[in-house]
């Protein structure tokens, strides 16, 4: 399947302009397909020329251009030629389209809780032609008029406010000019709650079976939505102008959310079951604020081509955290950013697949998707924070307002954005742009102290760019030191050379912990000195600044990843500090990001004891916390995920030993069941009882995952056969099989599936596409088999020419993690646990 190239997009944009779309979708055609009719009005600057239209249909029944019929058989490779254009043109395409199971296009899912079906449109990145014929590129924006015929009892949402015109018919209000990748329709028997704020109609919807959960959680979501609107209206000086603001929590969604103007879709995994931690609330609130920020950056002002995708995502990533910190209860939002989002970005920037924040080559649409990662999000947001440090916040905000006003409802790129910043600041930013936006890689920053007794007599900051990617990045950040839970040393500085003195630190007290970039203002790998590393297990939890603790955790994790720090130190720090950590976001980041991966870095014989120590940290917090408190929930979750104590887990599975608030916690019960399955201590009858008690989409996925988790040859074979050959599985079901298969078992049991990965996963590209393919290829990768043979097979696979881009990127990134784990095991083969 071809992918639109930048040259083709520029040529088409030079030739045509799109005046508007009229789209009709008939969703009452059965379970497999729907009918689509698209009428497109467009102009041509050179009458007599030809162009092409994008259409990805099961069957095209008719195509007419200015009243002339075009043979549907001429549609090839998702395109049809439109010859002999006039100055003003109308093309009409009638087609039968296929519902998707991959989370792209018009995805259809059936809720096992009640048998009800739901569909939602995900047009990003190039999936719009599988819903309606279109000129599918971001710089051919146009207004849309959409009508929908839906099954009886369904409701419909889309980019325009919905009017029901008949028992099964709906009309959506004419939209502002939209890029094709924003167009969506969401239909089904939704449970919907409505509100209003500042003249903007609001709604939140989820599956009917989730109504009770939705009603309990919607007030908090509405509150954050309203606070975010007020924040952005004040900050940008331009009001939201896409009509209603509907938010739908949809099943089997590939990402966290999608910023469709007026109709944002979120993953329904954010309609939480069981206990809800503050970290979960912050994460969901951040997603709400992130997608709303896109209404300005991305929706009102849209990138010209996919190589500027970073500007959409970096901007929304930064603005959402700023919005939460300044305008909601989540004042610690930037601590969470450092603990979780930046850790994701640092891993991406260390990998061989790293790329510049801006200007990474995107010769076609598919290649651009490979840059949709932690660099475009977290690193880009951090770079915007450095831009603010460089030019000042007032100039930054003025530049943002200028940029939005100049390109409202149109397109813009990097040059346009930087020009607005230069006008607002009065500074030439050419060198800054090249250093921070145009060069890949992460600088290493460290501070070295000279001392006399307990006083600093000299201080040097060093800054080193990767040798293979030289750069000259100015870093504005701080240095802080802590002893006994007090800050005893501090200085602000800008590192503009590879080595420079910090006279402000002279005379200050020598700390037990020395943390560069303690306020987490810059993007850099922080290298901690030996004394600080040694003191971390006992001292880290007492550091009073959340950002400094998040930086220290990231630095420790980076040290293990790069082979400089013994992974036992990381395990020991979790065991001794996690239970005393006060920030729920840091706790969640460590538990969800570091703990599952740590077992690959430790010598295999030491893994059980290390995880018992980690589980003990969770038990410490659980026993100390008040009943029903967030601390108790966090501790219970860590125990459930890390413990191999079959007796304890067996009691918890029945609610014995748990407080009243957790006895009926469905998510905690499944976490306990997973740990029991991991050691083959969960029988079929018990699993069936759990599944019978949770006949939901989530329960169905947990059943799949647990069956694959069992460390038996039969369980692994069944999981792999389903993953590799069952064409009826959804994107989520495929990932569940993969996660379970690799989640347990000794190398002897898992080793046969290393070769099968490279034989069976690349062909999945024939039925799974885009983000879904990348998720499956990543989850199925055999990096838990930490052996040189696995790495050798990965390198052999990368020499192939038949790999889809998404599979290749997954192999590159997962091979890098495997290489890091092998390096750590080689560098630290034995020794005492810290």
């Amino acid at each position: 399947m071809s992918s639109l190239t930048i040259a083709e997009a520029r040529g088409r944009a030079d030739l045509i302009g799109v005046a508007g779309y009229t789209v009709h979708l008939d969703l009452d055609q059965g379970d497999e397909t729907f009918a689509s009719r698209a009428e497109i009005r467009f102009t041509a600057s050179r009458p007599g020329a030809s162009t092409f239209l994008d259409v990805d249909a099961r069957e095209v029944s008719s195509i007419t251009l200015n009243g002339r019929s075009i043979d549907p058989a001429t549609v090839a490779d998702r395109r049809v030629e439109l010859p002999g254009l006039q100055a003003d043109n109308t093309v009409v395409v009638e087609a039968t389209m296929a519902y998707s199971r991959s989370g792209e296009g018009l995805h259809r899912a059936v809720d096992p809780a009640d048998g009800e079906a739901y569909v939602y449109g995900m047009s990003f990145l190039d999936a719009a032609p599988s819903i309606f014929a279109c000129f599918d590129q971001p710089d051919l924006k146009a207004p849309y008029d959409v009508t929908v015929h839906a099954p009886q009892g369904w409701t419909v949402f889309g980019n325009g406010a919905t009017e029901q015109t008949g028992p099964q018919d709906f009309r959506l209000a004419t939209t502002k000019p939209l890029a094709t990748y924003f167009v969506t329709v969401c239909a089904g028997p939704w449970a919907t709650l409505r509100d209003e704020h500042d003249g903007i109609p609001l709604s939140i919807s989820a599956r009917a079976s989730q109504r009770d959960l939705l009603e309990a959680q919607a007030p908090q979501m509405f509150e954050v939505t309203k606070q975010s609107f007020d924040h952005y209206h004040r900050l940008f000086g331009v009001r939201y102008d896409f009509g209603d603001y509907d938010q739908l929590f949809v099943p089997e969604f590939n990402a966290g959310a999608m910023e469709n103007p007026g109709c944002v879709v979120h993953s329904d995994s954010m309609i939480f079951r069981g206990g809800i931690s503050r970290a979960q609330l912050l994460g969901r609130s951040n997603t709400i604020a992130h997608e709303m920020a896109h209404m300005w950056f991305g929706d009102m002002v849209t990138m010209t081509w996919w190589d500027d995708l970073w500007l959409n995502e970096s901007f929304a990533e930064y603005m959402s955290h700023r919005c939460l910190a300044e305008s909601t209860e989540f004042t610690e939002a930037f601590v969470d950013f450092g603990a979780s989002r930046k850790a994701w970005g640092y891993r991406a920037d260390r990998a061989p697949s790293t790329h510049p924040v801006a200007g990474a080559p995107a010769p076609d649409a598919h290649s651009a998707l490979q840059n949709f990662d932690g660099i475009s999000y977290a690193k880009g947001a951090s770079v915007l924070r450095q831009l603010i440090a460089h030019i000042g916040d007032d100039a930054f905000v003025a530049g943002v307002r200028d940029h939005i006003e100049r390109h409202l409802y149109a397109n813009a790129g990097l040059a346009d954005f930087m020009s607005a910043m230069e006008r607002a600041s009065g500074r030439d930013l050419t060198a800054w742009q090249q250093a921070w936006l145009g060069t890949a890689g992460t600088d290493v920053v460290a501070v070295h102290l000279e001392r006399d007794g307990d006083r600093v007599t000299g201080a040097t900051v060093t800054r080193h760019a990767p040798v293979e990617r030289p750069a000259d990045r100015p870093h504005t950040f701080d240095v802080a030191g802590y002893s006994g839970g007090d800050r005893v040393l501090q200085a602000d500085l800008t590192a503009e050379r590879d080595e420079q003195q910090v006279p402000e630190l002279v005379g200050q007290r020598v700390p037990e912990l020395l943390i560069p970039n303690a306020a987490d203002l810059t993007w850099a790998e922080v290298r901690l000195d030996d004394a600080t590393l040694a003191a971390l297990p006992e001292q880290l939890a007492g550091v009073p600044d959340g950002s400094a603790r998040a930086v220290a955790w990231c630095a420790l994790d980076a040290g293990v990843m790069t082979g400089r720090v013994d992974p036992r130190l990381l395990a020991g720090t979790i065991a001794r500090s996690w239970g005393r950590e006060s920030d729920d976001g840091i706790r969640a980041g460590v538990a969800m990001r570091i703990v599952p991966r740590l077992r690959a870095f430790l010598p295999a014989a030491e893994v059980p004891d290390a995880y018992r120590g980690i589980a003990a940290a969770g038990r410490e917090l659980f026993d100390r916390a008040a009943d029903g408190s967030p601390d108790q929930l966090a501790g219970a979750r860590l125990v459930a995920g890390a413990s191999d104590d079959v007796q304890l887990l067996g009691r918890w599975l029945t609610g014995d030993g748990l407080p009243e608030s957790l006895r009926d916690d469905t998510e905690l019960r499944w976490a306990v069941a997973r740990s029991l399955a991991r050691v083959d201590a969960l029988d079929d009858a018990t699993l069936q009882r759990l599944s019978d008690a949770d006949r939901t989409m989530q329960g169905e996925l947990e059943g799949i995952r647990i069956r694959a988790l069992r460390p038996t040859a039969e369980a692994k074979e069944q999981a792999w056969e389903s993953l590799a050959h069952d064409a009826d599985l959804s994107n989520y079901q495929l990932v569940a099989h993969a996660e379970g298969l690799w989640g347990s078992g000794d190398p002897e049991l898992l080793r046969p599936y290393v070769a099968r990965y490279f034989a069976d996963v690349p062909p999945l590209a024939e039925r799974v596409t885009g983000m879904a393919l990348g998720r499956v290829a990543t989850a199925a990768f055999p990096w838990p088999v930490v052996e040189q043979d696995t790495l050798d097979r990965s390198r052999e696979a990368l020499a192939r020419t038949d790999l889809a881009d998404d599979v290749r990127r997954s192999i590159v990134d997962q091979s890098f993690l495997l290489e890091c784990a092998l390096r750590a095991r080689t560098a630290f083969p034995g020794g005492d646990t810290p």
Side-chain angles (χ1 to χ4, degrees):
M1 183 177 69
S2 65
S3 179
L4 182 71
T5 69
I6 187 172
E8 290 172 327
R10 287 172 175 169
R12 188 161 61 174
D14 286 343
L15 176 62
I16 70 169
V18 185
Y21 286 81
T22 300
V23 176
H24 177 73
L25 303 178
D26 184 351
L27 308 182
D28 198 17
Q29 299 276 311
D31 299 347
E32 300 295 328
T33 62
F34 61 97
S36 172
R37 183 185 189 276
E39 176 183 306
I40 312 166
R41 300 168 299 283
F42 65 101
T43 61
S45 60
R46 300 188 303 276
S50 65
T51 190
F52 61 93
L53 187 70
D54 304 295
V55 55
D56 184 11
R58 175 75 62 85
E59 180 183 357
V60 178
S61 54
S62 70
I63 305 172
T64 60
L65 173 64
N66 300 326
R68 304 190 323 268
S69 179
I70 295 177
D71 185 357
T74 62
V75 176
D77 204 16
R78 302 198 339 153
R79 295 180 180 181
V80 60
E81 287 295 319
L82 303 180
L85 298 179
Q86 301 174 6
D88 295 292
N89 303 273
T90 300
V91 62
V92 180
V93 178
E94 296 187 2
T96 298
M97 305 293 197
Y99 286 118
S100 163
R101 291 286 279 153
S102 67
E104 300 182 347
L106 199 61
H107 183 92
R108 185 180 189 274
V110 177
D111 188 346
D114 54 17
E116 296 285 2
Y118 297 84
V119 301
Y120 62 87
M122 177 60 165
S123 298
F124 182 88
L125 175 142
D126 60 354
S130 67
I131 304 175
F132 59 97
C134 57
F135 296 110
D136 190 28
Q137 60 190 73
D139 58 342
L140 289 177
K141 300 174 73 171
Y144 285 77
D145 290 282
V146 178
T147 56
V148 179
H149 181 74
Q152 190 74 39
W154 283 21
T155 54
V156 172
F157 294 88
N159 302 103
T162 305
E163 174 191 3
Q164 187 163 0
T165 58
Q168 296 177 246
D169 295 300
F170 301 82
R171 181 183 301 279
L172 306 180
T174 303
T175 71
K176 295 288 186 181
L178 304 181
T180 48
Y181 79 94
F182 292 134
V183 179
T184 192
V185 165
C186 302
W190 303 105
T192 299
L193 302 178
R194 299 185 183 276
D195 205 335
E196 182 273 340
H197 180 67
D198 196 17
I200 304 169
L202 309 175
S203 78
I204 300 177
S205 300
R207 287 178 280 127
S209 65
Q210 294 177 305
R211 177 176 288 278
D212 291 347
L213 296 173
L214 180 67
E215 290 178 346
Q217 296 174 43
Q220 189 271 337
M221 291 188 277
F222 276 129
E223 179 183 30
V224 170
T225 300
K226 296 172 185 180
Q227 292 169 330
S228 299
F229 265 125
D230 291 344
H231 177 87
Y232 293 137
H233 284 157
R234 287 193 302 268
L235 193 64
F236 301 148
V238 175
R239 281 186 58 82
Y240 171 81
D241 195 27
F242 289 113
D244 293 6
Y245 196 75
D246 301 315
Q247 298 179 81
L248 290 95
F249 289 79
V250 303
E252 300 178 343
F253 194 64
N254 277 328
M258 179 63 197
E259 65 269 19
N260 309 309
C263 188
V264 175
V265 292
H266 300 267
S267 167
D268 67 2
S269 63
M270 288 187 287
I271 301 296
F272 303 124
R273 310 191 307 165
I276 303 175
S277 68
R278 183 172 179 84
Q280 287 175 296
L281 285 178
L282 191 157
R284 183 175 67 191
S285 299
N286 181 264
T287 301
I288 289 171
H290 178 109
E291 304 311 319
M292 189 183 293
H294 275 309
M295 297 299 129
W296 285 265
F297 257 73
D299 297 7
M300 291 185 189
V301 182
T302 305
M303 61 195 169
T304 301
W305 181 245
W306 298 109
D307 54 358
D308 278 322
L309 178 65
W310 75 275
L311 188 53
N312 288 10
E313 299 305 343
S314 300
F315 182 88
E317 181 85 353
Y318 166 71
M319 280 298 172
S320 62
H321 287 88
R322 176 172 178 156
C323 173
L324 291 193
E326 294 181 357
S327 298
T328 76
E329 66 174 289
F330 301 106
T331 55
E332 75 277 25
F334 277 111
V335 175
D336 183 75
F337 175 68
S340 296
R341 304 294 287 181
K342 288 186 75 172
W344 170 44
Y346 283 136
R347 290 198 304 275
D349 210 20
R350 281 193 292 269
S353 57
T354 185
H355 55 85
V357 173
D364 58 44
H366 283 176
S367 63
L369 185 60
Q370 307 314 306
N371 296 332
F372 198 73
D373 56 17
I375 296 170
S376 295
Y377 283 76
K379 183 178 181 179
S382 298
V383 169
L384 290 177
R385 295 185 81 185
Q386 278 295 290
L387 177 60
I388 292 168
H390 191 64
I391 67 174
D393 191 61
D394 289 345
F396 175 75
V397 172
V400 166
R401 289 186 169 205
D402 178 20
H403 182 72
I404 293 172
E405 291 168 0
R406 284 175 182 262
H407 305 287
L408 197 62
Y409 301 115
N411 297 85
L414 169 62
D416 300 302
F417 177 76
M418 294 308 300
S419 292
M421 292 297 129
E422 290 185 334
R423 286 191 296 271
S425 65
R427 301 179 65 172
D428 182 350
L429 297 174
T430 304
W432 185 95
Q433 174 184 327
Q434 176 57 29
W436 274 111
L437 296 174
T439 307
T442 300
D443 293 348
V444 175
V445 169
V447 175
H448 310 274
L449 300 182
E450 299 172 17
R451 59 185 295 171
D452 183 3
D454 67 349
R455 294 294 158 180
V456 176
T457 58
T460 305
V461 61
T462 59
R463 174 207 67 172
H464 297 295
V467 174
E468 66 277 15
R469 297 181 181 89
D472 184 15
R473 285 179 276 260
H475 292 266
T476 299
F477 64 100
D478 67 332
V479 179
Y482 304 89
S483 294
D486 296 322
R487 184 190 292 185
V488 298
L489 175 147
Q490 197 275 330
D492 298 323
L493 61 100
T494 298
E496 297 180 304
R497 299 184 301 278
D498 285 348
E499 183 174 314
Q500 65 188 62
Q501 300 302 305
V502 190
E504 297 88 343
L505 293 178
V506 173
Q508 297 192 47
R509 182 176 159 190
V510 175
E512 293 175 306
L513 301 179
L514 177 65
I515 303 179
N517 193 32
D520 204 16
L521 291 177
T522 195
W523 180 268
E525 178 184 325
V526 169
R527 190 156 294 178
L528 302 175
D529 61 32
D530 290 342
T532 296
L533 287 171
L536 278 178
E538 301 300 336
Q539 296 287 328
L540 178 55
V543 171
D545 303 320
S547 290
R549 298 197 305 276
V551 167
W553 279 111
C554 280
L556 187 55
D557 186 35
V560 171
M561 290 282 291
T562 55
R564 294 180 297 98
V565 173
D566 192 332
R568 297 171 188 80
L569 177 62
L570 176 55
T573 304
I574 298 171
R576 299 180 194 181
S577 293
W578 190 92
R580 294 180 288 125
E581 173 57 55
S582 59
D583 186 276
D584 197 46
I586 294 178
R587 285 193 305 229
V590 172
M592 295 173 64
R593 175 177 52 84
I594 296 177
V595 169
R597 184 164 36 85
L598 180 60
R599 67 177 67 244
F601 288 77
L602 289 165
E606 298 180 25
V607 168
D609 282 344
Y611 276 75
R612 288 174 192 132
I614 291 170
R619 189 60 191 257
E620 172 194 349
L621 182 60
F622 175 82
D623 289 340
R624 188 179 70 241
D627 283 354
S629 67
D631 286 356
Q632 189 180 60
L633 175 63
R637 285 176 172 173
L638 187 64
V639 173
S643 178
D644 64 355
D645 185 337
V646 172
Q647 291 187 338
L648 171 68
L649 295 170
R651 291 196 303 272
W652 277 20
L653 193 66
T654 65
D656 183 18
L658 292 174
E660 186 68 30
S661 62
L662 296 178
R663 283 178 194 151
D664 293 322
D665 189 317
T666 304
E667 293 302 306
L668 181 64
R669 186 179 300 118
W670 279 119
V672 170
R674 288 195 297 272
S675 287
L676 286 167
R678 195 172 287 116
V679 294
D680 202 17
L682 188 75
D683 58 50
D684 288 338
T686 302
L687 177 56
Q688 189 60 53
R689 285 196 298 271
L690 293 172
S691 297
D692 289 344
D694 188 19
R695 292 192 175 278
T696 65
M697 282 188 165
Q698 294 94 324
E700 183 178 75
L701 293 171
E702 290 291 0
I704 291 172
R705 191 175 289 112
I706 283 175
R707 289 181 181 89
L709 266 168
R710 288 172 169 164
T712 66
E714 181 184 20
K716 302 308 179 185
E717 180 65 20
Q718 289 177 349
W720 191 264
E721 282 298 308
S722 295
L723 170 68
H725 303 300
D726 191 341
D728 293 328
L729 295 180
S730 72
N731 50 339
Y732 273 50
Q733 291 166 334
L734 289 168
V735 169
H737 279 294
E739 290 175 340
L741 186 146
W742 295 114
S744 69
D746 60 39
E748 191 69 26
L749 179 66
L750 297 175
R751 197 173 290 120
Y753 299 96
V754 174
R756 292 175 72 172
Y757 174 90
F758 299 105
D760 293 343
V761 168
L764 289 179
E766 297 175 6
R767 57 186 171 91
V768 185
T769 59
M771 286 185 178
L773 179 60
R775 290 182 69 229
V776 173
T778 296
F781 186 86
W783 74 267
V785 182
V786 185
E787 297 175 354
Q788 185 63 41
D789 179 68
T790 310
L791 186 59
D792 291 342
R793 289 179 182 272
S794 299
R795 291 168 175 168
E796 290 173 7
L798 291 173
R800 293 165 53 174
T801 59
D802 63 337
L803 295 181
D805 289 343
D806 308 276
V807 175
R808 181 176 298 278
R809 173 66 184 268
S810 294
I811 294 175
V812 168
D813 289 348
Q814 297 304 100
S815 297
F816 172 69
L817 287 177
L818 175 62
E819 190 174 357
C820 290
L822 285 168
R823 183 188 304 120
R825 290 190 178 188
T826 300
F828 302 101
D832 296 329
T833 301

